[in-house]
Amino acid sequence: DRSSAASDVYKRQIIVLMDSLKTRKYLSVKEAATEYFEKLISVSALYNLINSGQIKTIKLGHKILIPISELDNYCGKALSKE
């Protein structure tokens, strides 16, 4: 049936995405919002976290990159507060 086929495709896409996140070290702000946080946080909310110093970044010219380790640290701290 179509819905189970679509579900299988979605699951495979998630697995591929997770594998790519394991090998990458940095994400753009948009990638972090859409891929790492799976669109649960907006790009502007992520910029607010960056500007407040809660998430550290690397700037290359006009490009802002976020180390995945920094995102992991931020999430770990947020989880420990619960």
Side-chain angles (χ1 to χ4, degrees):
D1 125 308
R2 281 189 167 163
S3 64
S4 69
S7 177
D8 290 342
V9 168
Y10 179 73
K11 287 177 187 175
R12 284 194 300 274
Q13 289 173 337
I14 293 295
I15 291 168
V16 168
L17 173 63
M18 295 307 290
D19 285 343
S20 91
L21 286 177
K22 288 178 189 175
T23 59
R24 294 181 65 187
K25 294 183 180 182
Y26 306 95
L27 296 174
S28 70
V29 176
K30 184 176 180 182
E31 289 170 330
T34 59
E35 295 175 20
Y36 187 91
F37 289 108
E38 299 176 350
K39 298 182 184 178
L40 296 172
I41 185 172
S42 68
V43 172
S44 61
L46 194 50
Y47 274 113
N48 288 338
L49 292 170
I50 292 166
N51 292 332
S52 69
Q54 295 180 62
I55 295 178
K56 295 181 181 14
T57 62
I58 297 169
K59 292 185 181 179
L60 296 174
H62 294 289
K63 184 98 169 162
I64 297 174
L65 297 175
I66 306 172
I68 291 179
S69 60
E70 186 65 25
L71 296 170
D72 292 340
N73 289 339
Y74 174 78
C75 290
K77 289 175 189 174
L79 287 173
S80 67
K81 290 180 183 180
E82 292 182 355

